[in-house]
Each structure stands twice: as C-alpha cells, then as structure tokens.
Amino acid sequence: MSAHTDLPVVDPDLVELATSVFADADVDGTGLDTALWDTLEQTGLARLAVAEDAAGSGGSLLDLAAVLVEAGAGAARVPLAETDVACRLAAAAGLDVPVGPLTFALDRAGALTVDGDTVSGTLARVPWARSAAAVVVLTGGSVVVLDPATATLVEGTNVAEEPRDTLTVDGASAAVAAAPDGAESEFALWAALSRALLLAGAARGALTRSVGYAGEREQFGRPIGRFQAVQQQLALAAAEVAAGGAAAGSAARVVVRDGVGAPTAELAVASAKVRTGEAATEVARIAHQVHGAIGFTREHDLRLTTTRLWAWRDEDGTDGEWATRIGDLVLAAGADGLWPLVTA
Amino acid sequence: MTQTLSRLPALTPPAAELPVRAEALRAEVREFLADERAAGSWTPRSDVWLSGWDEDFTRRLAARGWLGMTIPAEYGGHGASPLDRYVVTEELLAAGAPVAAHWVADRQIGPSLLRHGTDAQRRKYLPGIAAGEVYFGIGMSEPDSGSDLASVRSRATKVDGGWSLTGTKVWTSGGHRAHAFFALVRTSPPEEGKRHAGLSQLIVDLHADGVTVRPIPLLTGAHHFNEVVFDEVFVPDDMVLGDVGSGWTQVTGELAFERSGPERFLSTFPLLAALVGELSGADLGAAGRRQLGSLVARLWSLRRMSLAVAGSLASGEAPELAAAVVKDLGTRFENEIIDAARLLVSVPPDPGAEGGYARLLADAVLHAPGFTLRGGTNEVLRGIVARGLGLR
Ligand SMILES: Cc1cc2nc3c(=O)[nH]c(=O)nc-3n(C[C@H](O)[C@H](O)[C@H](O)COP(=O)(O)OP(=O)(O)OC[C@H]3O[C@@H](n4cnc5c(N)ncnc54)[C@H](O)[C@@H]3O)c2cc1C
C-alpha cells in the first residue's frame, strides 16, 4: 500500500541489529563511546546511508531513520547523526572526508571567515568536536572540511553531558569548496530531521523505562502502575511518544519521496522537530514524576534519556524556532491554502 | 548500571502513503466543493459532522459516488478502498461541509452490516445508505450507562417471531431524523463475572410502534440529542444484527471505526482556517506565529497518525491502542484551536451571527465539551492505552 509508490521499506534485521548494538553499549561514561563506534563501523551502521563510493554502506534514509530512533532510545554516546550529515554535506560540495566519527556545523552567523583555503574565527558548541576526525562546516557560500587539530578547542557540554565544544581557528588551512545552491536551508532540514528522529527514540526510551518502573515500584502495597492517576499520566506520555514517532518517521518518508529541497519536506521536517520537541517536554516531565526521587539522581539511568530530551529539543533549531517558520509558511499560504499545505 | 529495557507495544502502525489514485480523487472532491461553495449551498461551520444536517447535500455527494464508497457494488456501493473514503471525508470536514445526515450510516453502519448483517439486512439498508437516502443513529448510551456501556439495562425478551424491547437510550445524535439505529440491549440477564455476555444488537426502526423520540437541547439550544424510549417495541427475529449474545464484541468492533478518523481532529478546522484568514496581513509577532506553527505541526502529525491507523484498518487489522491515542490527542487538539483563535484575534464569539469568525468561534466554544466525551471519553481511552502498556 505504500504507493506514491515504490518507497523502500525498512529492513527489520537491521533494526534488530541496531537495537542490540545500542543495548550492549556502556551508557554510563561520558564523551565518545569508542567501543560502540568501532562496532558501528564494523557493522556498517556508522555510515549507513552514505554512498558506497564515499566509504558508506549505501543504505536508504529510511534505514538510517530507524537506526537513529534506536540510537536515541539507547542513549548512544556516538555522533551517528552528525557523521551522516557531515558526509552528505561534504559529498554535495565534492569534498573528501577522513574515516572515523565526523561532525557538522551550520555557521549561520558567519562566525568563520574563509580566505582561499584558510579559515579564521570561532565556532561555538560544535557537537563531538573533541572526538571528530573532521568538522564539516557550512558557512556563507562555502563548505569547509576542518581538522579539529588545527583549532584551539574549549570543551563544553549540553545538559546531557554530550560534548559541545568551541573551536577557534586563526588562519588554519582547510579543504574548501563552494556550497551548492540552497544548501543552508537543506542542511538545516537534514540536521533537524536527524535530531527529531533521535528525540523520538529518546522519548520512547524514557517511556519504556517509566512503564517498567511503574510495574516494579510498590507503594501502598501494590505497584504504583496500578493507580489510575499513574496510568493516566503514562497514557498521556505514550500519546506523546506515538505522535513524536509518527511525525519523525513520516517526515523521513516525505524526504525520501520528494527530496529534501521540496516544499513538502520543509513542512514535514519542521513539524517533526516541533512535535518531537513538544513531546520531549511532556514525556520527560511525566517520566520524572513517575520515578520519584530516584529518577532525580545521577545514579539512575532515567537521566540518560530525559537529559537528552531536554538537550535535543533545543538543538538544530528549537521547537519554537521551527514553529515560527511553520507559522510563516501558513500565513503565506493563507486561509484557503492551509489545507492544501497540510495535505501536500 | 546495565540497561534492562523491555519492549513497548507498537504505539502507531507503520506510516501509510495514500495511493496516487486517491490523490486524483482528492482533486475531484476539491473541485466539487469549490463549485458548491461558489453556489452558496452551505456556510462552513465547526463540528459539521455533528450539526450540519443537509439531506440535499448528502444526496449530491451520493450522486458523485462518495457515499457507501467501501460497500460492494452488489449492495449499491462502489467497492472502493477505505483510503479513498478517507480522502473524501477529510476533504469534506476540512471544508466544513454539512455531512451529519449520512455520517453515522456511512462511517460505521455500512461496515457493521457488511461484517455482521444477513444478506437480507444488507439488501434492505446498504443501497439506501449509498444513495444518501437512509440515515442511522447510534443506540448505545443510556441514562445510567455511559462509559460503563456493558451495564445497559434496555431489555429484549423473546416473543413469538421476535423480541419485545423495553428501555431507554439517550444522547441519540440525530435520532429524530434517522430511520433506524442499532440498539445495544440485554437479551439475557447479567451473570456473575460475565458482564459482557448476554448483550445483543437489534436493528430498531425509529418509527416503529412503541418508540418515542424526545428532543434534548444542546448547549446551543439546537436539537441534536434525543432520548429514545422503547415501550414493548416488537423487533422481528430477522432484525437481530449478528448473533444473539455477541453484542459486546460487535459494538467494540464498531467503535474501532469511530475513533481514529479525520473527524477526531478536524471538528474545528474551519475555525483554524478562518484564524489564518484573520491573521494574514495582520502584524503578528513571533509569539503568535509560533503558536500558529505549533498548531499546524500538531495537525500535520495527527493526520499522519490517523492515516497510519486507516492504512492498518484497511489491511484488516484492529489497532485499538493507536486509535485511542489518535482520539485522545486529536480531540484535545480541537480544543487547542479554540484557545489560539480566542487569544490571537480579539473577536467575541457570537452565536447569533450568520457566519464568519464570530459564529465559527461561538459554535466551537459551545460544542467543545463534546469533543472529548463522544465515542468514549478521553479518560476511558487512556485506560485502554494503559492496558496496552501492560499496566492493567
Ligand atoms: C456530542 C455527543 C454525541 C453523542 N452521541 C451519542 C449517540 O449518538 N449515541 C449514543 O449512544 N451515545 C452518544 N453519546 C454519548 C457518549 O457515548 C457518552 O457521553 C460517553 O460514553 C460518556 O458517557 P457519559 O456521558 O454518561 O459520562 P460518564 O460515563 O458518566 O462519565 C463522566 C466522567 O467520569 C469519567 N469516568 C467514567 N468512568 C471512568 C473510569 N472508569 N475511569 C476514569 N474516569 C471515568 C469520564 O471520563 C467522564 O469524565 C454522545 C455524546 C456526546 C457528547
């Protein structure tokens, strides 16, 4: 029935593989999980949707989407999404990238100055920069492949303790090429779509843990999940998880169907980022309420997904920013254009 | 700490895409609706599937082949896919077109008759439904049986050649104009521990001797709800739907068609469209654009979820949990539109206005409480979700 019509389907074995790889990972450390990254490279998951001639596995975006959801659910400490977007951007500009984990930066503010093949300036909060083999930057009309070793690096993190480092370069030499037309809006969408998929997974992970906990924790002589007040809260969280998952998964399908440059893709990806961001807030709130004090500690695993929900909802465009963008699209469409916009 | 993640059940079926053919159909429906509106045949309203009763419009839809779409041709229908029907219904609702007359018959009575009805019952009703001539109500709730539907007290006792029915149904939407409904009644006394046994569905002619239909005005004062009293109404044996004693299973199957369709998030869409009209060209700050954008992100996501459930229903599955989720989120979304419409445009709701924003808003405000009640309250739906999660 997946007409429009020959969309690929997700390979269930692949999802199974991803789930078990992430479940076996060491979730407690901080920074890059090098063992997990090695496994991802060995299994071909690290560059799943990158073309084979660019040292990728040549899988479909729908496969990658399913794997990103699992990575989010498993709180994987790897730049899987960033590596994918970095590879896409470098390939679009005809630049080579090294092997290993990569990262991506969208320099909208023009913080980087490109002069021939030297670059200067400061890039703030670059994901995973300290562990990346290269940073692929979209800045103005250029794509730059930068070696972090040529930069001064100040470590920072997001609220989930994931690396978000500040890089300063002063006349560093880098590979530079012209960015293709429309790159800025398209790569903002790639980044937002990846983040939405990770969010959908993290929301699911937080719900899974909360449902499990509600079945185990006993008060008043019975599991707290037997109380209707707790059940109703978890049902609300489940609805948010369902909505976020459907939005992110559907947006990936629209991008596969129409291409990331299509007007339909913009509404789809923006909706997915808004919906997963809003779900993040509600799911994290309920998950913590259901867990009581123990979930409020660094010792408990709940934080692995909830802190990511809080971090990721504000990355690659906050839900507020993307919602404003949708508001603009809707106002441009007008009263009679709203329904055609939503159903396109 | 190692991870001990158990698995959750699937909360939504896999994403569905509409077939290309359905998109061609959408274009036809839009053209038809544009012509209708140009001719001024109706004014867009909120909650039209409840209040927009227009039998002429219903017959014009039937003439286009857009009623009874999934009913096989041998019963007067069109043998189309449920996804084709989905496209037609969402277009009608988005346009605020008056679809109430045929709504129940087209949505749930046709499918129920096809599943459980005898050949004679199908021949009696299905061609009329597809022609837009035969309208149905829903005979489930009673004065003392709302969420706890299995506690219904209307009783049918066996008599020669049929059943004698006594009791009261209530909140019967359109019962004063419908030809018949399926009454959920007790055909044998409740047994200890088996409260779902002994229930049956009878097809009751609402003009039969012993049936009294009394109006109950809505908040707006409109006549929509009814109380239907049965006083020893004779229901012939051949008007039992499905098997005697299987009423509960049949009714829950019927509810599955009721829960996840586009009417569960589009009841106030005409107000949202009007809101966009009011705001276009106005100097709307970032907060307003954000609120509008957030609503449309929700709408986009809900529609995708609802389509996924429709796709799953079309392939013969019964995704009860996903349907409950769509209805819970969708009916809350219908209310969120009202909040935005009030806060972003300062026009007081006016129930006396002929049309326009003030009237759309007034109808929406006064109809809103029903959104999260009808078809199973949101609290009851969350109970279904909690059961799906293994909590009860
Ligand atoms: C617009 C509209 C149209 C309708 N049309 C029809 C129709 O055509 N035919 C028909 O048969 N019926 C119809 N109904 C009735 C509808 O099905 C009932 O309103 C619904 O099932 C709830 O029953 P109730 O109103 O008796 O509320 P109650 O069941 O009395 O519930 C009252 C409150 O208690 C809560 N509650 C009840 N039980 C539980 C529980 N176990 N856990 C938690 N909370 C609980 C409910 O969620 C609700 O908030 C219609 C209703 C509306 C609003």
Side-chain angles (χ1 to χ4, degrees):
Chain A
M1 198 201 53
S2 60
H4 256 319
T5 40
D6 38 7
L7 281 185
V9 290
V10 181
D11 175 0
D13 293 340
L14 185 80
V15 178
E16 199 61 39
L17 170 70
T19 314
S20 72
V21 164
F22 295 127
D24 289 345
D26 163 29
V27 290
D28 276 338
T30 50
L32 180 70
D33 181 345
T34 47
L36 174 58
W37 185 262
D38 289 346
T39 311
L40 293 175
E41 290 204 331
Q42 282 152 21
T43 50
L45 292 172
R47 295 188 185 191
L48 183 59
V50 175
E52 287 179 41
D53 58 19
S57 307
S60 83
L61 175 63
L62 289 185
D63 288 338
L64 173 69
V67 172
L68 285 176
V69 170
E70 297 306 324
R77 292 187 287 118
V78 286
L80 191 59
E82 289 83 355
T83 299
D84 178 74
V85 178
C87 286
R88 274 177 208 283
L89 177 58
L95 293 171
D96 290 332
V97 286
V99 295
L102 304 176
T103 191
F104 156 79
L106 179 56
D107 175 28
R108 279 184 197 275
L112 220 55
T113 319
V114 180
D115 182 8
D117 49 13
T118 61
V119 289
S120 303
T122 297
L123 292 170
R125 303 191 69 72
V126 180
W128 304 96
R130 72 190 73 159
S131 310
V135 187
V136 183
V137 191
L138 179 59
T139 175
S142 305
V143 177
V144 176
V145 178
L146 187 74
D147 179 353
T150 64
T152 319
L153 186 147
V154 178
E155 292 195 351
T157 66
N158 62 17
V159 292
E161 302 178 8
E162 290 185 308
R164 296 293 185 262
D165 302 328
T166 297
L167 293 175
T168 303
V169 280
D170 185 6
S173 65
V176 177
D181 283 348
E184 185 165 314
S185 69
E186 287 186 15
F187 280 87
L189 293 176
W190 280 120
L193 175 60
S194 310
R195 196 61 68 193
L197 290 158
L198 288 167
L199 275 163
R204 192 181 169 93
L207 174 67
T208 308
R209 207 169 280 290
S210 302
V211 169
Y213 185 76
E216 289 160 13
R217 170 70 173 171
E218 295 199 2
Q219 287 294 282
F220 300 98
R222 60 182 118 156
I224 56 168
R226 296 265 167 252
F227 295 110
Q228 199 189 41
V230 175
Q231 291 174 358
Q232 296 267 314
Q233 288 298 304
L234 288 171
L236 287 173
E240 294 298 307
V241 170
S250 298
R253 295 187 83 89
V254 171
V255 169
V256 171
R257 189 187 74 191
D258 299 347
V260 75
T264 47
E266 184 171 25
L267 178 66
V269 172
S271 295
K273 185 67 172 64
V274 172
R275 195 64 190 85
T276 51
E278 292 179 351
T281 302
E282 186 72 348
V283 171
R285 180 185 71 73
I286 293 170
H288 276 285
Q289 192 66 18
V290 166
H291 274 81
I294 198 165
F296 191 52
T297 65
R298 204 180 174 291
E299 269 132 60
H300 195 276
D301 281 352
L302 177 63
R303 73 178 172 93
L304 297 170
T305 44
T306 54
T307 58
R308 280 171 173 77
L309 291 171
W310 293 322
W312 292 346
R313 66 185 175 181
D314 289 337
E315 293 184 337
D316 300 306
T318 67
D319 33 296
E321 285 168 325
W322 283 111
T324 311
R325 177 74 195 124
I326 298 174
D328 291 339
L329 293 174
V330 168
L331 289 174
D336 291 337
L338 172 62
W339 182 245
L341 180 74
V342 170
T343 50
Chain B
M1 242 181 262
T2 54
Q3 286 182 300
T4 49
L5 281 182
S6 58
R7 299 240 170 154
L8 290 178
L11 296 171
T12 36
E17 293 286 332
L18 287 167
V20 176
R21 163 192 94 242
E23 295 297 351
L25 176 61
R26 182 190 305 286
E28 279 177 54
V29 179
R30 282 190 185 163
E31 204 184 309
F32 165 83
L33 288 171
D35 291 347
E36 286 273 327
R37 271 181 78 173
S41 82
W42 37 268
T43 314
R45 288 276 155 79
S46 298
D47 205 14
V48 274
W49 61 278
L50 184 125
S51 56
W53 194 288
D54 180 341
E55 298 178 10
D56 290 332
F57 181 75
T58 285
R59 279 188 285 265
R60 289 200 293 280
L61 284 179
R64 299 297 301 255
W66 295 335
L67 292 190
M69 291 179 74
T70 60
I71 295 172
E74 61 166 317
Y75 298 116
H78 306 281
S81 125
L83 292 176
D84 289 339
R85 178 179 178 273
Y86 190 100
V87 166
V88 171
T89 53
E90 71 170 349
E91 288 297 323
L92 293 169
L93 293 167
V99 293
H102 62 265
W103 193 260
V104 169
D106 184 68
R107 176 181 66 184
Q108 68 204 76
I109 302 301
S112 270
L113 283 169
L114 286 168
R115 277 219 234 155
H116 309 295
T118 62
D119 191 57
Q121 289 167 350
R122 294 175 186 178
R123 289 192 192 287
K124 182 173 162 89
Y125 293 113
L126 292 177
I129 289 175
E133 306 279 354
V134 171
Y135 315 125
F136 269 80
I138 300 175
M140 296 189 193
S141 306
E142 296 189 358
D144 293 320
S145 304
S147 299
D148 184 11
L149 186 58
S151 69
V152 290
R153 292 194 201 150
S154 290
R155 293 185 53 87
T157 45
K158 196 74 193 85
V159 293
D160 197 22
W163 298 81
S164 172
L165 173 60
T166 295
T168 303
K169 292 291 172 186
V170 76
W171 322 131
T172 315
S173 297
H176 54 307
R177 285 153 153 169
H179 298 95
F181 67 13
F182 298 168
L184 180 71
V185 305
R186 260 223 167 269
T187 41
S188 54
E191 286 172 53
E192 191 63 31
K194 283 186 171 173
R195 50 201 310 271
H196 296 152
L199 294 169
S200 306
Q201 280 186 298
L202 305 184
I203 307 175
V204 179
D205 175 351
L206 289 169
H207 302 288
D209 285 346
V211 176
T212 312
V213 180
R214 293 198 196 101
I216 308 173
L218 295 185
L219 290 178
T220 56
H223 181 188
H224 164 79
F225 272 160
N226 297 275
E227 178 189 58
V228 179
V229 180
F230 316 117
D231 180 15
E232 297 187 359
V233 177
F234 177 72
V235 180
D237 278 324
D238 60 9
M239 284 294 114
V240 174
L241 180 72
D243 297 323
V244 172
S246 299
W248 184 255
T249 332
Q250 290 173 202
V251 140
T252 45
E254 199 180 317
L255 288 170
F257 287 93
E258 242 205 73
R259 285 197 171 141
S260 60
E263 72 273 30
R264 297 305 180 182
F265 56 93
L266 291 177
S267 301
T268 52
F269 180 84
L271 177 62
L272 179 62
L275 171 64
V276 172
E278 295 287 317
L279 296 177
S280 298
D283 184 16
L284 186 64
R289 290 181 291 142
R290 187 163 66 227
Q291 192 176 3
L292 186 62
S294 164
L295 277 179
V296 173
R298 278 167 188 257
L299 172 59
W300 189 89
S301 309
L302 275 163
R303 180 170 175 271
R304 291 280 155 173
M305 295 173 84
S306 166
L307 269 172
V309 178
S312 166
L313 282 170
S315 51
E317 287 153 44
E320 191 194 25
L321 200 159
V325 164
V326 169
K327 186 169 175 299
D328 184 14
L329 287 169
T331 54
R332 283 189 279 139
F333 168 74
E334 294 176 333
N335 278 281
E336 289 161 10
I337 289 178
I338 301 174
D339 291 336
R342 285 180 46 248
L343 295 174
L344 294 175
V345 176
S346 299
V347 173
D350 181 0
E354 279 296 317
Y357 197 75
R359 175 61 191 270
L360 278 164
L361 186 57
D363 285 347
V365 165
L366 292 171
H367 280 233
F371 302 161
T372 48
L373 292 172
R374 57 188 173 195
T377 73
N378 287 35
E379 290 74 20
V380 166
L381 296 172
R382 283 173 215 149
I384 292 174
V385 175
R387 191 183 311 117
L389 294 175
L391 293 168
R392 48 185 291 249

